[in-house]
Amino acid sequence: MALRIFNNLASYSAQRLLGENKNQLSRVFARIASGERIQKSSDDSAGMMTSESLRSDVRTLRQGIRNLNEGLSLLNVIDGAINEEVSILLRMRELSTQSATGTIGATERQSTNLEFGAMRDEFNRIAKTTEFNGKKLLNGYLASNAAEHLSLQFGLDSDKVNQVNLNREVNITSLSADAMGLNSLSISTQSGASKAVEEIKVIVEKLNDIRGRLGSTQNRLERSLTTTLTAAENLTAAEENINGADMAVEFASLTKQQILVQTSSAMIGQSNLFPQGVIQLLPQ
C-alpha cells in the first residue's frame, strides 16, 4: 500500500463504518424501546402497510365492541323497567280480583281503587321517565314504525350484516298507561273490576311478548360481542407477529452493535496512526 499523508483512506473507511454501526445501534435501541420491529416504511414497507391496515381494523372492532356493550346496557335498562311494570300490573290485577268479588263493600272497594290508581300512576311514571343517554325508551322511540331507527354498528364496514336495528328487533311501542288502555279502567265497581281483570291479563301478555323479543335480541348481541372480541384478538395477534419486535433477537443485536461501535471507534484511532509512518522515512 502506498504511503500518503493527505488522504487517510483507512480512517475514512473506519469512520464510515462507525457511522453505519451507530445508526444500526440507534435502530436497535428504538425497536427495544418501542417494542415494534418497523420504525419507518424503509424498514419494511409491505409489512408496515399490512400492520397499519390490521391496526385500523382492530381499532374499528374495539369501537364495535363498545357499541355492542352500550346496546346491551340499553336493553338491560328497558328489561328492568318493563319488569317493574309487569310487577305493578300483577298487583293491579290482584286488586281487581279482590274488588270483583261480591263479599266486600263499597268502602273497601273504593279503598282498593285508590291503590289501583296509585299503581297506575307509577306504571305511567316508569314509561315516561325510563331513558338511556337522553333517549326515552318506553314512549314509542323503539317502535318498528318510528321515524328514526336506532341501529348498532359493530363490524368492519357499514354493511347491514354488521348492524342490529333495535327498532325492528324489539319493536317497543309506547308503554304509557294511556297507550296500554289502563286509564280507562276502574275497579270502583264490581263490573269494572271484572273487566279490569281481563284487560290487565292482555296487557301483561303484551309486555311478556316484548320481553321475549328483548331476550332474543340480548342473546344475539352477546353472540355478536363474543365473535367481535375473538376477531379483534386474532387481528391483534396477526399485527403483533408482523410488527412486534423479537426481544431475544433485538438484545442479541444490541450486544453485537455495541461491540461494533466500540471496535470501529478503536480502529479510527489506529488508522490515524498510519500517516506517522512517513516520519520513519526521514533521514536520521
Side-chain angles (χ1 to χ4, degrees), residues 32-62:
I32 292 176
S34 67
E36 295 182 344
R37 180 179 66 87
I38 305 173
Q39 297 297 311
K40 52 186 178 180
S41 59
S42 60
D43 293 337
D44 183 354
S45 58
M48 174 168 279
M49 290 176 62
T50 303
S51 174
E52 290 299 323
S53 177
L54 290 173
R55 190 174 298 177
S56 174
D57 287 347
V58 168
R59 292 185 64 173
T60 299
L61 291 177
R62 293 293 181 191

Side-chain angles (χ1 to χ4, degrees), residues 42-165:
S42 60
D43 293 337
D44 183 354
S45 58
M48 174 168 279
M49 290 176 62
T50 303
S51 174
E52 290 299 323
S53 177
L54 290 173
R55 190 174 298 177
S56 174
D57 287 347
V58 168
R59 292 185 64 173
T60 299
L61 291 177
R62 293 293 181 191
Q63 182 58 56
I65 290 168
R66 289 191 288 271
N67 293 346
L68 287 170
N69 279 320
E70 288 178 4
L72 284 168
S73 297
L74 182 146
L75 295 182
N76 286 335
V77 170
I78 295 173
D79 190 51
I82 294 180
N83 181 61
E84 289 302 314
E85 287 195 327
V86 170
S87 296
I88 289 172
L89 288 173
L90 295 180
R91 176 55 180 165
M92 292 175 71
R93 193 176 185 214
E94 181 183 3
L95 293 171
S96 301
T97 302
Q98 180 182 359
S99 184
T101 186
T103 57
I104 66 172
T107 302
E108 291 83 357
R109 189 171 285 117
Q110 187 62 36
S111 176
T112 302
N113 190 52
L114 288 176
E115 183 181 351
F116 184 90
M119 290 291 99
R120 178 171 53 206
D121 290 342
E122 178 60 17
F123 182 99
N124 198 48
R125 188 196 66 81
I126 292 173
K128 290 184 177 297
T129 60
T130 299
E131 62 179 56
F132 184 89
N133 195 25
K135 294 179 174 63
K136 302 293 184 181
L137 302 177
L138 303 183
N139 66 348
Y141 174 72
L142 289 176
S144 60
N145 60 352
E148 180 184 355
H149 282 203
L150 192 158
S151 295
L152 302 177
Q153 171 71 41
F154 59 90
L156 290 175
D157 52 50
S158 58
D159 194 272
K160 290 189 180 299
V161 297
N162 293 322
Q163 298 177 347
V164 175
N165 187 314

Side-chain angles (χ1 to χ4, degrees), residues 184-203:
S184 63
L185 300 180
S186 173
I187 61 172
S188 59
T189 63
Q190 187 173 359
S191 61
S194 298
K195 177 185 177 183
V197 171
E198 298 302 320
E199 292 291 333
I200 293 174
K201 178 183 178 182
V202 173
I203 296 172

